[in-house]
Amino acid sequence: MPYALTLAVLMVVTIWYSAYGTQKEIPFLSEPALRPQRNPLTQMVLDLGEAFRNRSFRWLFFGVLIVFIMAGVNSALDLYMFQYFWDLTSEEMLGLQAASITGLLIGVFLTAPLLRHTDKRFGVLLGTIVWAVCQVIPVVLRLLEVFPDNNTLLLVYTLVAFRFVQGVILQQAFIAFGSMMADVADEHDHQTGARQEGIFFGAIAFSHKATSGFGNFIGGIGLDIIAWPRGIGIQTAADVPAETIVHLGLLYGPVVAGFSVISVWCYLHYDLTRARHAEILRELNARRRVEPARDPTPT
């Protein structure tokens, strides 16, 4: 209960602080274009169809869709890997989770310098590829018997290092992806004259919720395929056939991470460059300057 309350308070404070910090920008938001009144469901379908006509959004959407599915499978198999493949204690599992979170937090401060010298697509590609590599290497090295043994501090420290690096670099993809989505909204505005941030980000958020659950479902199917034993007597790695544990590692590492190739392929088709986005912004600003000014004071 204290943990849940602490998180709840932090979430409320963060949301209100973000709302307060961006309130001064409200007068400068673009005025929505007047559109014919339609049934909300009909309007949503029409907006989604319009969004998917944007090439940049399509490639981003399908690329991140695979990522969300991989994340769902990963979360479904994490506990099995920690407990049976790596034979970790609950305290050591907590350490790995803390390493991931710490990496994500520190990664925030590295994103701006990175993207200043590269483009946003590079940040997404880097995060996706490094996540997959950090997912595969420990498993493959263990199967080749060149990784630290279970029940040793060296194993824990090595896994913590991998999780930390994974978190740091993955944050580059998270932030770059959100910024790319904002660029897509600008491109859509430039092409159609309508701001549709809500439909773009809403489609991504919905796909995250839907496919993460689907990923858990796929993870369960994967456990059935490798014939994972069932029953209350399955407590340690000694209760599971060695061959099944090997198959678990292959499923968690190379198989799941292998789908990142599809995501990378999709992201490579995203071609809204920094230069093209800057040109779009110049043209949008020029368009807005010739439009009648809107009085920002409330009426």
Side-chain angles (χ1 to χ4, degrees), residues 164-277:
F164 176 78
V165 171
Q166 202 173 30
V168 169
I169 306 302
L170 192 58
Q171 187 65 271
Q172 314 314 306
F174 287 156
I175 296 176
F177 184 86
S179 185
M180 289 162 73
M181 288 296 298
D183 293 352
V184 168
D186 288 332
E187 182 186 47
H188 182 77
D189 185 4
H190 179 261
Q191 293 173 346
T192 67
R195 298 295 299 183
Q196 292 282 19
E197 289 99 335
I199 200 67
F200 287 122
F201 283 93
I204 295 296
F206 176 78
S207 67
H208 183 198
K209 298 295 184 182
T211 53
S212 293
F214 184 60
N216 279 275
F217 174 71
I218 294 176
I221 293 177
L223 291 174
D224 287 338
I225 291 174
I226 66 174
W228 188 263
R230 301 182 182 184
I232 60 175
I234 311 301
Q235 299 294 330
T236 67
D239 303 317
V240 182
E243 181 180 339
T244 303
I245 292 180
V246 170
H247 291 160
L248 173 66
L250 292 173
L251 176 63
Y252 182 86
V255 174
V256 173
F259 282 93
S260 63
V261 174
I262 302 175
S263 291
V264 169
W265 180 76
C266 290
Y267 295 145
L268 287 173
H269 286 78
Y270 175 90
D271 56 5
L272 182 54
T273 63
R274 186 196 302 266
R276 175 54 184 157
H277 181 244

Side-chain angles (χ1 to χ4, degrees), residues 8-23:
V9 170
L10 288 174
M11 289 174 64
V12 170
V13 170
T14 302
I15 291 170
W16 279 100
Y17 179 75
S18 299
Y20 174 77
T22 56
Q23 189 177 25

Side-chain angles (χ1 to χ4, degrees), residues 56-281:
S56 300
F57 176 71
R58 286 199 306 271
W59 286 117
L60 280 182
F61 179 85
F62 290 115
V64 81
L65 200 65
I66 301 298
V67 171
F68 291 153
I69 293 175
M70 290 192 301
V73 176
N74 183 74
S75 66
L77 300 179
D78 259 347
L79 184 59
Y80 293 89
M81 285 293 295
F82 292 165
Q83 184 171 349
Y84 300 104
F85 192 89
W86 300 119
D87 200 15
L88 301 176
T89 65
S90 57
E91 291 79 11
E92 290 166 345
M93 296 180 196
L94 181 60
L96 262 63
Q97 299 293 349
S100 295
I101 295 172
T102 304
L104 287 169
L105 292 173
I106 293 177
V108 171
F109 303 100
L110 302 179
T111 306
L114 174 69
L115 298 186
R116 193 177 298 122
H117 297 94
T118 62
D119 61 17
K120 298 170 186 177
R121 188 179 70 170
F122 176 82
V124 171
L125 290 171
L126 179 67
T128 304
I129 293 171
V130 170
W131 178 88
V133 169
C134 289
Q135 194 83 353
V136 171
I137 287 181
V139 173
V140 171
L141 293 182
R142 162 52 56 81
L143 296 179
L144 294 175
E145 299 183 351
V146 291
F147 206 68
D149 294 330
N150 285 3
N151 300 310
T152 63
L153 283 177
L154 182 58
L155 170 72
V156 177
Y157 293 152
T158 305
L159 290 176
V160 163
F162 270 97
R163 284 278 173 152
F164 176 78
V165 171
Q166 202 173 30
V168 169
I169 306 302
L170 192 58
Q171 187 65 271
Q172 314 314 306
F174 287 156
I175 296 176
F177 184 86
S179 185
M180 289 162 73
M181 288 296 298
D183 293 352
V184 168
D186 288 332
E187 182 186 47
H188 182 77
D189 185 4
H190 179 261
Q191 293 173 346
T192 67
R195 298 295 299 183
Q196 292 282 19
E197 289 99 335
I199 200 67
F200 287 122
F201 283 93
I204 295 296
F206 176 78
S207 67
H208 183 198
K209 298 295 184 182
T211 53
S212 293
F214 184 60
N216 279 275
F217 174 71
I218 294 176
I221 293 177
L223 291 174
D224 287 338
I225 291 174
I226 66 174
W228 188 263
R230 301 182 182 184
I232 60 175
I234 311 301
Q235 299 294 330
T236 67
D239 303 317
V240 182
E243 181 180 339
T244 303
I245 292 180
V246 170
H247 291 160
L248 173 66
L250 292 173
L251 176 63
Y252 182 86
V255 174
V256 173
F259 282 93
S260 63
V261 174
I262 302 175
S263 291
V264 169
W265 180 76
C266 290
Y267 295 145
L268 287 173
H269 286 78
Y270 175 90
D271 56 5
L272 182 54
T273 63
R274 186 196 302 266
R276 175 54 184 157
H277 181 244
E279 181 183 347
I280 287 172
L281 288 180

Side-chain angles (χ1 to χ4, degrees), residues 28-46:
F28 306 104
L29 296 177
S30 58
E31 187 74 23
L34 294 177
R35 299 194 297 183
Q37 293 295 322
R38 295 190 179 96
N39 179 280
L41 182 60
T42 302
Q43 187 63 58
M44 183 186 71
V45 172
L46 291 173

Side-chain angles (χ1 to χ4, degrees), residues 47-55 57-58 61-62 200 203:
D47 288 342
L48 279 173
E50 189 174 310
F52 277 102
R53 281 194 289 272
N54 184 288
R55 181 180 184 276
F57 176 71
R58 286 199 306 271
F61 179 85
F62 290 115
F200 287 122

